[in-house]
Amino acid sequence: MEENKFEAAIERVKELGAEVESSAEASTEGDALAHVRAELHKWVDTVAGAVVNAGLGRVTLLHHNGKETSIASSELPYLLSRPARFETD
């Protein structure tokens, strides 16, 4: 069942790109996926800060070179959020 959802997600993303005449490449296993993951790890290491807005479902990464990357996600903002803390005197 999960594999069907995974394949459906890949096809949906590829179809969205095709609608605007843009090709897409899916990497789901082997060397291709290993390459993507390695490059993502290097890219993440360029992050100098992050703005997490769980209410908007968005994370903005601030990179050392001054560029910003905005990621829309229903999960990522919650993974990066820390629990609220209330200070008591």
Side-chain angles (χ1 to χ4, degrees):
M1 184 70 166
E2 289 298 316
E3 184 67 25
N4 290 340
K5 287 182 182 179
F6 183 67
E7 293 296 327
I10 290 171
E11 287 307 311
R12 184 176 61 252
V13 171
K14 289 170 76 173
E15 287 171 9
L16 287 171
E19 287 179 14
V20 293
E21 299 179 5
S22 176
S23 65
E25 181 179 317
S27 300
T28 60
E29 60 188 12
D31 290 341
L33 181 58
H35 171 74
V36 169
R37 294 179 86 175
E39 291 303 311
L40 279 170
H41 284 281
K42 285 193 278 185
W43 179 75
V44 166
D45 286 340
T46 71
V47 173
V51 178
V52 178
N53 191 323
L56 293 178
R58 182 162 303 280
V59 173
T60 301
L61 303 177
L62 310 168
H63 300 275
H64 286 289
N65 63 5
K67 293 189 177 188
E68 298 177 8
T69 301
S70 186
I71 303 170
S73 170
S74 60
E75 293 183 36
L76 186 58
Y78 294 98
L79 290 172
L80 301 180
S81 294
R82 300 180 95 185
R85 291 177 287 180
F86 300 98
E87 307 265 339
T88 57
D89 292 337

